[in-house]
Amino acid sequence: MTTTAITHISALVTNDPSLGDGSPLGLIQDAAVVIEGDRVVWTGESSKAPATDNAVDAGGRAVIPGFVDSHSHLLFAGDRTQEFNARMSGRAYSAGGIRTTVAATRAATDDELDANVARYLAEALRQGTTTFETKSGYGLTVEDEARALRIAVRHTEEVTFLGAHIVSPDYADDPAGYVDLVTGPMLDACAPYARWIDVFCERGAFDGDQARAVLTAGLAKGLHPRVHANQLGHGPGVQLAVELDAASADHCTHLTDADIDALAQSATVATLLPGAEFSTRAAWPDARRVLDAGATVALSTDCNPGSSFTSSMPFCVALAVRDMGMTPDEALWSATAGGAAALRRTDIGRLAPGARADLVVLDAPSHVHLAYRPGVPLVHEVWRRGERTGLPRSG
């Protein structure tokens, strides 16, 4: 395998505190990183870089790990422009709008759904996202949920079965029957394609007992839990996530002290999704409170057509710094290493020897510019699995 050195990096974020300045970001100034195949094999000061087959001059730009988006909903058709417009004119967000997307998704062809996923992933890659999780949840029949996951696995290994997104309109008068469907035939059809199982534990969706039934059935099939928890109000989602050793409790907008203590004493990551609060004008999660308690925090986009139609991790970093009490360092760590933790991965979200060579070269001298210059396209180039991807354009 050939080796490539990226040199003259103004500031390299490794997310390894044993490197560089010893901070959680493991920041190395005037740095270089050496790639062999799809792995990082060396990091350090640029002047000390070993000889390699190829060299790329970063030109004094900063380099960060590729963003890890651990929560997205990309298997859908249509959009909800009218709903967003109405909400921005005063209508409150509720879980019911998902039904609009369910109807559009059921009507779409496999090719249309596949093309949509590819389009949004290319969009995310242009903004530095090199790993993403995505879910089903807009089919809500055995056939439609299974085909969503069959399409998803063409694009990512981080696939989540979310048949329990809302109670299917077909079972509006029989929620218990729908839970039986999700935990029975639907799970049987979907489990071969998924790594994770998720449930929207929230008013208007599934209560604590229903969520437990869904997640324990998934566990019995070898799927690991994730939970949509405490987005619209206080509820049992976070405590259930911790009890079942879920990889993440996602949203975490409304937390009691007991919820925060439970997260801090567990391996369950609190995944915060500021795009949802931005798009629904809801209260911001108090990231400062969660971090100060010692819990692990991830940032993700929640990209979906209803409540957070953004694929931009830099945008979410800026929101987290501006409105959720995070420092620029904390926000970047949470959008990279934090996302990796929420996927229980150690090979991504960092740039240290042995890690996958997923990195982003910024048109800026420091990662702080992600929050300092919000909305500016700062991604100069992206490397994924050791290969320069270029920046694909839609259309």
Side-chain angles (χ1 to χ4, degrees), residues 44-114:
E45 296 178 13
S46 191
S47 62
K48 298 177 182 178
T52 56
D53 300 309
N54 303 301
V56 175
D57 192 328
R61 297 178 176 90
V63 170
I64 63 172
F67 293 117
V68 179
D69 191 345
S70 61
H71 183 125
S72 72
H73 302 251
L74 302 183
L75 269 298
F76 68 88
D79 71 19
R80 279 146 65 184
T81 304
Q82 292 181 343
E83 176 190 319
F84 177 80
N85 190 37
R87 189 165 63 241
M88 292 301 102
S89 302
R91 189 174 78 198
Y93 170 67
S94 69
I98 293 169
R99 294 178 180 86
T100 303
T101 302
V102 169
T105 303
R106 288 179 177 180
T109 67
D110 288 10
D111 287 346
E112 287 169 338
L113 291 178
D114 190 83

Side-chain angles (χ1 to χ4, degrees), residues 161-181:
F161 168 46
L162 182 59
H165 199 180
I166 59 168
V167 173
S168 169
D170 308 321
Y171 285 79
D173 298 323
D174 186 16
Y178 185 65
V179 172
D180 289 342
L181 181 72

Side-chain angles (χ1 to χ4, degrees), residues 26 60 99 137 185 196 200 230 253 329 349 374:
R99 294 178 180 86
W196 308 97
F200 191 9
N230 300 54
T253 310
D329 286 10

Side-chain angles (χ1 to χ4, degrees), residues 76-361:
F76 68 88
D79 71 19
R80 279 146 65 184
T81 304
Q82 292 181 343
E83 176 190 319
F84 177 80
N85 190 37
R87 189 165 63 241
M88 292 301 102
S89 302
R91 189 174 78 198
Y93 170 67
S94 69
I98 293 169
R99 294 178 180 86
T100 303
T101 302
V102 169
T105 303
R106 288 179 177 180
T109 67
D110 288 10
D111 287 346
E112 287 169 338
L113 291 178
D114 190 83
N116 279 348
V117 174
R119 170 190 170 192
Y120 295 124
L121 294 181
E123 185 179 276
L125 183 65
R126 292 196 300 271
Q127 298 169 93
T129 298
T130 52
T131 301
F132 61 92
E133 176 269 1
T134 199
K135 311 173 192 296
S136 65
Y138 291 122
L140 308 187
T141 67
V142 172
E143 179 182 353
D144 285 305
E145 287 295 293
R147 75 163 177 150
L149 297 180
R150 285 197 303 270
I151 292 167
V153 296
R154 300 173 191 170
H155 299 276
T156 180
E157 64 268 55
E158 301 296 347
V159 174
T160 300
F161 168 46
L162 182 59
H165 199 180
I166 59 168
V167 173
S168 169
D170 308 321
Y171 285 79
D173 298 323
D174 186 16
Y178 185 65
V179 172
D180 289 342
L181 181 72
V182 170
T183 57
M186 191 182 288
L187 177 60
D188 290 341
C190 292
Y193 305 103
R195 181 183 178 199
W196 308 97
I197 187 165
D198 199 345
V199 59
F200 191 9
C201 185
E202 192 63 71
R203 66 176 184 266
F206 297 89
D207 65 24
D209 290 340
Q210 293 168 327
R212 182 189 302 278
V214 168
L215 297 175
T216 54
L219 278 164
K221 284 285 188 179
L223 305 185
H224 204 78
R226 324 181 67 77
V227 183
H228 281 61
N230 300 54
Q231 177 188 4
L232 305 180
H234 296 289
V238 165
Q239 296 289 341
L240 180 62
V242 170
E243 176 191 334
L244 296 180
D245 187 35
S248 64
D250 297 15
H251 286 289
C252 293
T253 310
H254 300 275
L255 300 177
T256 65
D257 289 344
D259 292 332
I260 291 177
D261 288 344
L263 288 166
Q265 295 171 28
S266 76
T268 299
V269 174
T271 300
L272 308 183
L273 309 170
E277 279 70 41
F278 177 87
S279 297
T280 61
R281 287 181 172 162
W284 297 100
D286 188 348
R288 182 80 270 133
R289 185 175 164 221
V290 180
L291 287 164
D292 287 349
T296 301
V297 170
L299 285 177
S300 291
T301 63
D302 191 22
C303 185
N304 75 82
S307 61
S308 183
F309 204 3
T310 180
S311 58
S312 174
M313 289 290 278
F315 175 63
C316 291
V317 166
L319 290 180
V321 172
R322 170 62 178 80
D323 292 304
M324 288 164 44
M326 300 182 83
T327 68
D329 286 10
E330 290 168 338
L332 178 62
W333 189 96
S334 295
T336 51
L343 296 175
R344 299 209 163 158
R345 299 273 296 272
T346 58
D347 60 326
I348 56 175
R350 63 191 185 94
L351 292 175
R356 203 166 79 179
D358 294 347
L359 57 90
V360 178
V361 182

